[in-house]
Amino acid sequence: MPITVKPSQKREWARPDRRPRPTTAHPTAVHPTTARAATAVSLLLALGAVAYSAWVLEPFLGTGLSPVSSYVSELAARDQPYSTLFRTTDLAAGLLILAGAGGALLWLPRRWGAVVGWAGLALFGAATVVDSRLAMSCAPTADAACAARERAGLVPAAHAAHVVSSSVAATGALVGMVVLTLAARRYGILPSLASPPGLLLVLLELAATTWTLAAIAAFDAGYGMWALGAGQRLQVLLIAVWMGFLARSVVRRG
């Protein structure tokens, strides 16, 4: 017996499939969690950069130390009048940068270069925290007796350890700056780091670090100051400026 089909059934069968089809997100869309994480990392880095720049207050505080010849760390030496202030700001800077770098490692996109770069900045933050706790006992560039005790190895252990923690902090900062810039060029992660301003900051930092190391070697060998303080202040200033530049790049994800 033939089967008859009603017109309404024909129309129903001929109706195109209207079931909702899966859609893909726009390729440039950013997951809300990633956006919030980027904002948090950016804020931590920016605040860390501000705290790390507290030494710019020295002209207004009358520290008695020469900004041309003294170490920045001497501002926090235990025999200096504003030791507590500068040790506290160093502690805050280290904790903020450590938290920002740690957050980036946990939440932001990972490539080997980015991981190494963020790890370098985490090391910089951690070493800065240690630095703030291992303050120098005196200011060797301003106190001949202090310099003599330092050369003779008669300073407290914390004073001697400060040299190590400062060196580790500077190394971590350099690793972070250089490797994150290379990752920006190779993988397109935070590409503004590889822009002309970003590259200029890294090159200037390398030059300032070379100047500082040469001046420290000359001072330790008794060949004068070589504007040690100016070189080191330029070095830490460039780190802070680059950290602010990094914070801007993170929040804009570019």
Side-chain angles (χ1 to χ4, degrees):
M1 182 177 178
I3 299 175
T4 59
V5 180
K6 296 179 181 180
S8 62
Q9 289 178 311
K10 289 182 178 179
R11 287 194 299 270
E12 183 176 345
W13 291 352
R15 186 180 304 155
D17 185 5
R18 295 184 178 178
R19 288 174 297 177
R21 298 181 180 179
T23 58
T24 57
H26 191 277
T28 60
V30 179
H31 193 280
T33 302
T34 304
R36 288 193 294 270
T39 301
V41 168
S42 176
L43 181 60
L44 289 167
L45 294 175
L47 291 174
V50 172
Y52 194 64
S53 304
W55 59 271
V56 301
L57 296 174
E58 62 177 321
F60 309 102
L61 297 176
T63 63
L65 296 174
S66 167
V68 176
S69 60
S70 66
Y71 292 107
V72 176
S73 296
E74 288 178 286
L75 294 168
R78 294 191 179 276
D79 66 345
Q80 296 301 303
Y82 299 102
S83 173
T84 301
L85 169 64
F86 290 113
R87 282 189 287 121
T88 301
T89 53
D90 276 353
L91 174 63
L95 290 173
L96 288 164
I97 293 168
L98 176 60
L105 285 169
L106 288 173
W107 300 318
L108 298 187
R110 298 185 188 94
R111 289 274 194 162
W112 77 266
V115 170
V116 173
W118 286 116
L121 292 185
L123 176 64
F124 166 59
T128 301
V129 170
V130 174
D131 225 19
S132 72
R133 302 302 88 191
L134 299 176
M136 302 172 80
S137 59
C138 53
T141 64
D143 182 349
C146 175
R149 289 196 303 273
E150 192 178 63
R151 283 192 289 270
L154 300 177
V155 291
H159 183 117
H162 179 87
V163 176
V164 178
S165 59
S166 293
S167 299
V168 172
T171 301
L174 273 178
V175 169
M177 293 175 71
V178 171
V179 177
L180 282 175
T181 301
L182 293 175
R185 289 180 63 85
R186 181 172 178 81
Y187 302 118
I189 300 172
L190 306 176
S192 61
L193 294 181
S195 66
L199 291 173
L200 178 62
L201 285 172
V202 172
L203 292 175
L204 288 174
E205 174 62 20
L206 291 171
T209 300
T210 302
W211 175 6
T212 301
L213 291 175
I216 291 173
F219 175 65
D220 289 342
Y223 292 117
M225 302 305 299
W226 289 25
L228 187 158
Q232 193 180 53
R233 279 161 178 77
L234 178 60
Q235 181 189 34
V236 298
L237 175 64
L238 288 167
I239 291 174
V241 171
W242 184 88
M243 202 70 65
F245 189 70
L246 174 62
R248 174 182 175 273
S249 301
V250 169
V251 78
R252 294 187 175 188
R253 290 175 293 279

